[in-house]
Amino acid sequence: MREKIAGLARRWQSAYRSTSIQMILSASFTAVAVLGMVFMGLTLFLRFSATSNAQQSENSQRVLAQVNLNLDSYLRSMMRVSDAAYYHVIKDLDLAEEDPANQLELLYESNRDSLVSIALFSQEGRLLAASPMGVLKNSVSPERESWFTAATERIENLHFSTPHVQNLFDDPDYRYRWVVSLSRYTELTWDGSIQGGVLLVDMSFAGIEQICKDVDLSASGGYLYLTDDAGELIYHPRQQLIYAGLLEENNRAAAAYTDGTHTETFNGEHRQVTVKTVGYTGWKLVSVVPAEELLDNYGQLMLFFLFIVLFSVFLLIFVNLRLSEWITAPVKKLDRAVKELEAGVQQVDFDVGGPYEVEHLSHSIRSMVSTMRHLMADIVQQEAEKRRSELDVLQSQINPHFLYNTLDSVVWMTENGRTEEATVMLTSLARLFRISLSRGSNIIPIADELEHARNYLTIQKMRYKNKFSAVIEAEDGVEKLYTIKLIVQPILENAIYHGMAYADGDGEIRISARREGDDVVIDVTDNGPGMPEEVVERLLDPDAPRANTNSKGSGIGLRNVHQRIQLSFGRRYGLTIHSEPDAGTRVQIRLPALEKVPDQGKEGKP
């Protein structure tokens, strides 16, 4: 898998490098514009969908509100019948002396379009009065019915039952009427004493069914149903199929929903469900709109959106091609000018015009070419200076006066019989020459450089008749590192000529080498008369006039060592001189810590 991805990435990079800037700009502009249009279109589409869903929700809520209002009116009319029967008929009668049947019949006759029956029962379930039918079935025990127990257990409320077949009375017509029972607890007067009872008003379910059937949600493919607070169906347009087990409804879950709009998935179908609670009863009005019906309304919008996108893409491709050609023409001209420069043409025209950025780029390239030519000239000059510095170093490595004086001292010692001292001086001189040559290598171990300094000091101490002492120290491991050769001896030469020539046996020169992180520091310290600050500043100044190289203490040796180190390792390395009159001088050499010889053994930055 990773190899396939890497292969695709390589092919993409290859195609990108071989594609013109005009094509890249055109494709980029078109892709960005199309993505922008798609994003805006999807945003508008989603916004439209959300608005459509919200409108459908508001429509369902309005429908449910209207149905709720109609049901509330219907239920209130039944409650008024119950109140009239109780407060205007039953409550004022002594049932031991008067029969309320006639008055209940009158009440029934005035509301017979919505009533099936009115009945009054004692607390034991005995029928006291009823209209229009007054004979109970032998198999019926009213006190065991749910509407009866609900009224006696919660005497302060009115109780509505779920739809059921009226099965209390013998019906001469043998009709089965679907009713919703409204029951309540009543106080009955019997022979001056108060007893409990139950008033039953059976409402025709056809009235409720008609209210719910009148709702039209067919435009959105939806329907409405009614449940009690426990989720039992009171009305459903396909109620018979549900009772027969041929269809299912999510009525139990819907009864637990709060009023408002919800989304649900039932039997794999996404639906928008709106719930409204019917007052006094706890019943739930539920409207259901399938999500597929909502999506059907978006088809035409999607077609229109696709047409707009395709048309815009063709238009954008044409416009972007023309625009990218106008932008890239100066860039192509600048590219041709750069290729001419690569071919070696001396006079190249970089005035390409075009947008500000391209014109600025052409000016920058012209300025860069001019700067490069000046830099090349400077590099040539610097190389010449470097070669001259190297020649100066070679000239200052072995001062002719030092060699002559050493040989004169050897001859004088030999003539006076001091052959042992002459031998030591000649041996030190030979070792000095051997390390100076180093088989042509310019990079030597620090141990050899310190040995070279030790031989040089041996010769000078004998020439100056031990007017000074010398100490050479090095930390463990430093002598194994590498340095360019002959950087300590010129510093010792200056220390001897300036500080030790007039010493009276108390002169001291100390050489110490140590490592500081990634650097090596070599300090050459003497206790001579020191130098003023202006002399110190002039010693390493490359622009200072050069004195006679054959004169003692001219400073050319220090300056050459400083330049050689910086040419080899960079500006952060070289010499630092600390000196004060009558306080001595300390010259510090800073080098990189080289643990091996650089490539080819030549000077250069490691």
Side-chain angles (χ1 to χ4, degrees), residues 52-79:
S52 178
N53 289 337
Q55 289 178 347
Q56 180 60 47
S57 174
E58 291 177 1
N59 179 62
S60 298
Q61 290 179 11
R62 284 194 299 268
V63 170
L64 292 185
Q66 183 61 46
V67 175
N68 179 62
L69 183 63
N70 295 336
L71 278 176
D72 184 72
S73 177
Y74 183 80
L75 295 174
R76 281 179 178 274
S77 66
M78 297 299 99
M79 291 168 62

Side-chain angles (χ1 to χ4, degrees), residues 70-282:
N70 295 336
L71 278 176
D72 184 72
S73 177
Y74 183 80
L75 295 174
R76 281 179 178 274
S77 66
M78 297 299 99
M79 291 168 62
R80 285 194 294 270
V81 171
S82 178
D83 289 342
Y86 178 51
Y87 292 108
H88 299 296
V89 177
I90 299 170
K91 196 172 181 63
D92 296 333
L93 294 180
D94 187 336
L95 298 181
E97 301 176 356
E98 299 178 80
D99 187 0
N102 292 332
Q103 292 180 339
L104 291 179
E105 185 175 358
L106 291 174
L107 188 60
Y108 168 77
E109 290 295 334
S110 61
N111 296 278
R112 64 182 304 161
D113 292 337
S114 56
L115 291 182
V116 173
S117 65
I118 302 176
L120 180 64
F121 298 87
S122 67
Q123 193 167 2
E124 295 79 17
R126 180 168 53 88
L127 179 63
L128 301 178
S131 181
M133 295 171 286
V135 179
L136 287 175
K137 292 182 178 180
N138 294 329
S139 60
V140 171
S141 297
E143 69 278 6
R144 297 179 181 177
E145 297 291 333
S146 59
W147 51 266
F148 192 97
T149 56
T152 56
E153 290 175 358
R154 290 176 289 174
I155 63 176
E156 70 280 359
N157 295 333
L158 296 176
H159 305 279
F160 292 87
S161 72
T162 56
H164 60 278
V165 176
Q166 206 279 355
N167 58 357
L168 292 177
F169 303 100
D170 286 326
D171 189 347
D173 297 332
Y174 299 102
R175 296 173 59 187
Y176 293 92
R177 296 180 174 87
W178 282 84
V179 298
V180 174
S181 298
L182 170 60
S183 60
R184 69 190 300 168
Y185 179 81
T186 60
E187 291 182 350
L188 306 178
T189 303
W190 189 272
D191 199 15
S193 62
I194 303 300
Q195 299 180 4
V198 175
L199 176 63
L200 175 66
V201 177
D202 281 338
M203 301 177 292
S204 174
F205 178 67
I208 297 176
E209 186 178 28
Q210 189 60 44
I211 292 174
C212 296
K213 277 186 176 180
D214 290 341
V215 177
D216 184 13
L217 290 174
S218 59
S220 57
Y223 59 90
L224 177 145
Y225 66 90
L226 179 66
T227 72
D228 65 4
D229 56 355
E232 292 291 339
L233 285 175
I234 297 175
Y235 165 78
H236 195 287
R238 300 178 181 178
Q239 196 161 349
Q240 299 301 324
L241 295 176
I242 294 174
Y243 286 163
L246 301 177
L247 187 67
E248 293 183 354
E249 184 57 74
N250 198 27
N251 49 295
R252 300 286 182 183
Y257 291 160
T258 58
D259 287 6
T261 301
H262 308 268
T263 57
E264 67 175 15
T265 301
F266 181 66
N267 289 342
E269 180 185 34
H270 299 286
R271 315 192 302 180
Q272 183 188 82
V273 177
T274 305
V275 179
K276 177 71 174 178
T277 302
V278 180
Y280 307 109
T281 63

Side-chain angles (χ1 to χ4, degrees), residues 1 14 27 92 101 137 185 236 258 354 374 507 526 537 546 604-605:
M1 186 63 183
S14 176
D92 296 333
K137 292 182 178 180
Y185 179 81
H236 195 287
T258 58
H374 283 91
D526 66 71
E537 293 177 355
R546 297 193 178 194
K605 192 172 183 178

Side-chain angles (χ1 to χ4, degrees), residues 387-515:
R387 297 295 176 263
R388 285 196 295 270
S389 297
E390 291 174 349
L391 289 176
D392 289 341
V393 169
L394 292 175
Q395 290 175 1
S396 63
Q397 284 176 0
I398 302 299
N399 193 307
H401 290 285
F402 167 73
L403 180 59
Y404 296 153
N405 292 334
T406 301
L407 293 177
D408 286 342
S409 297
V410 171
V411 171
W412 179 82
M413 290 176 182
T414 303
E415 290 177 347
N416 288 276
R418 297 167 63 179
T419 56
E420 185 177 349
E421 294 180 1
T423 302
V424 171
M425 184 172 285
L426 284 175
T427 302
S428 297
L429 183 62
R431 291 174 178 174
L432 190 73
F433 273 106
R434 185 174 65 251
I435 295 176
S436 297
L437 297 175
S438 301
R439 297 181 180 178
S441 174
N442 197 43
I443 304 295
I444 63 175
I446 291 179
D448 290 349
E449 180 66 18
L450 296 180
E451 178 65 20
H452 181 272
R454 187 176 290 107
N455 292 323
Y456 178 77
L457 288 172
T458 299
I459 296 171
Q460 293 289 43
K461 285 168 63 178
M462 296 179 69
R463 285 188 58 224
Y464 284 90
K465 300 179 181 180
N466 294 318
K467 289 184 178 183
F468 63 91
S469 62
V471 177
I472 300 178
E473 301 173 334
E475 285 184 355
D476 292 341
V478 172
E479 292 183 329
K480 296 180 180 180
L481 303 176
Y482 290 86
T483 178
I484 57 176
K485 67 182 180 181
L486 303 183
I487 60 174
V488 177
Q489 181 265 331
I491 301 172
L492 293 174
E493 182 179 4
N494 269 279
I496 294 171
Y497 288 159
H498 281 280
M500 302 294 108
Y502 306 101
D504 193 15
D506 57 353
E508 182 181 9
I509 296 177
R510 181 175 294 274
I511 303 172
S512 63
R514 66 184 185 277
R515 182 165 183 168

